[in-house]
Amino acid sequence: MQVMYKLNDEQLITLFKKGHASALEELVYRHKDKLFTSIVLLVKDSFLAEDIFQDTFIKIIDTIRADRYTEKGKFLPWAMRIAHNLCVDYFRKVKRTPVIKTGDDKDIFNVLNFSEPSAEEKMMTRQSHNNVRRMLDLLPEEQREVIILRHYADLSFKEIADLTQVSINTALGRMRYGLINLRKMMTEKQICL
């Protein structure tokens, strides 16, 4: 058996189809950071991101096992598209779900604390990450999405354009204006990263 980390994504998918579970483990290991970080930045909740991340790989496994995987050479963009669509589906579902408010008009699930912060959450709360995330949150949604997909998911502008269903020029423009706005915020708030 070949050493898994030396194989490309397509070779790993082929091995997984033949019943080698370790090939899937390598795919998850190889792409988990980019996928998970992108999901966290889109949904802004690490627990929800874990659920969506798991759902993403369940969908990937089902598609590969059903022999419907056709994205030769483009596993990560395909996986990102699945994750992005699951995030969109979540927000559509939440829009239809009634919000329970406290007496002072706050969402009850934002007030209640169900568990202690995990080590991962503590790591993510480091000051520089918080600054970047706060600034990203201040951007218009279209600009924020392109920056996340480009810098955290490492997608090309063509892949971003396809995923967000806009032209490449629109994706490039959103990136440009997003970066200009981030620089302006850093200057105004005197933030150093």
Side-chain angles (χ1 to χ4, degrees):
M1 177 58 62
Q2 295 176 327
V3 180
M4 293 291 176
Y5 74 89
K6 292 183 179 180
L7 301 177
N8 66 34
D9 292 348
E10 295 310 310
Q11 292 168 321
L12 291 171
I13 290 168
T14 302
L15 279 175
F16 176 67
K17 284 181 181 179
K18 293 179 181 177
H20 297 278
S22 57
L24 180 67
E25 288 175 28
E26 177 61 29
L27 275 172
V28 172
Y29 178 76
R30 185 177 291 175
H31 299 296
K32 69 179 178 182
D33 292 338
K34 288 180 182 179
L35 274 168
F36 185 75
T37 302
S38 297
I39 294 168
V40 167
L41 289 169
L42 288 169
V43 300
K44 298 180 183 86
D45 179 334
S46 61
F47 294 113
L48 174 60
E50 287 174 15
D51 290 343
I52 292 174
F53 178 79
Q54 290 175 2
D55 290 345
T56 300
F57 271 95
I58 289 170
K59 200 163 195 131
I60 287 168
I61 291 167
D62 290 345
T63 303
I64 292 172
R65 283 188 176 155
D67 208 26
R68 292 184 320 229
Y69 175 76
T70 59
E71 304 289 327
K72 303 291 182 209
K74 297 185 179 193
F75 176 79
L76 181 59
W78 174 69
M80 284 300 303
R81 194 165 53 247
I82 290 171
H84 181 269
N85 289 341
L86 287 171
C87 291
V88 169
D89 290 347
Y90 167 78
F91 285 118
R92 282 185 187 138
K93 182 177 146 192
V94 166
K95 246 183 175 171
R96 293 189 302 258
T97 305
V99 176
I100 302 168
K101 301 273 187 180
T102 62
D104 54 354
D105 205 36
K106 293 182 181 172
D107 183 347
I108 195 162
F109 289 105
N110 290 335
V111 174
L112 297 175
N113 183 12
F114 293 105
S115 65
E116 291 295 314
S118 68
E120 179 181 332
E121 284 181 302
K122 289 176 185 175
M123 179 185 78
M124 290 178 67
T125 57
R126 290 190 324 239
Q127 190 62 40
S128 64
H129 287 185
N130 280 339
N131 287 339
V132 171
R133 288 173 73 180
R134 275 197 300 270
M135 288 187 303
L136 279 171
D137 288 343
L138 296 174
L139 291 176
E141 184 177 345
E142 296 85 11
Q143 293 173 12
R144 180 177 63 244
E145 184 177 40
V146 171
I147 289 173
I148 290 168
L149 293 173
R150 179 72 181 136
H151 288 287
Y152 291 94
D154 203 27
L155 296 182
S156 71
F157 284 105
K158 167 112 176 66
E159 293 163 339
I160 293 169
D162 292 342
L163 185 62
T164 58
Q165 298 176 341
V166 297
S167 70
I168 292 176
N169 286 340
T170 300
L172 287 167
R174 289 176 178 175
M175 172 63 89
R176 179 176 180 270
Y177 288 115
L179 293 175
I180 288 170
N181 287 333
L182 285 175
R183 282 187 200 106
K184 197 182 302 180
M185 281 186 251
M186 287 176 67
T187 302
E188 289 171 358
K189 297 177 193 253
Q190 298 178 345
I191 295 174
C192 293
L193 300 178

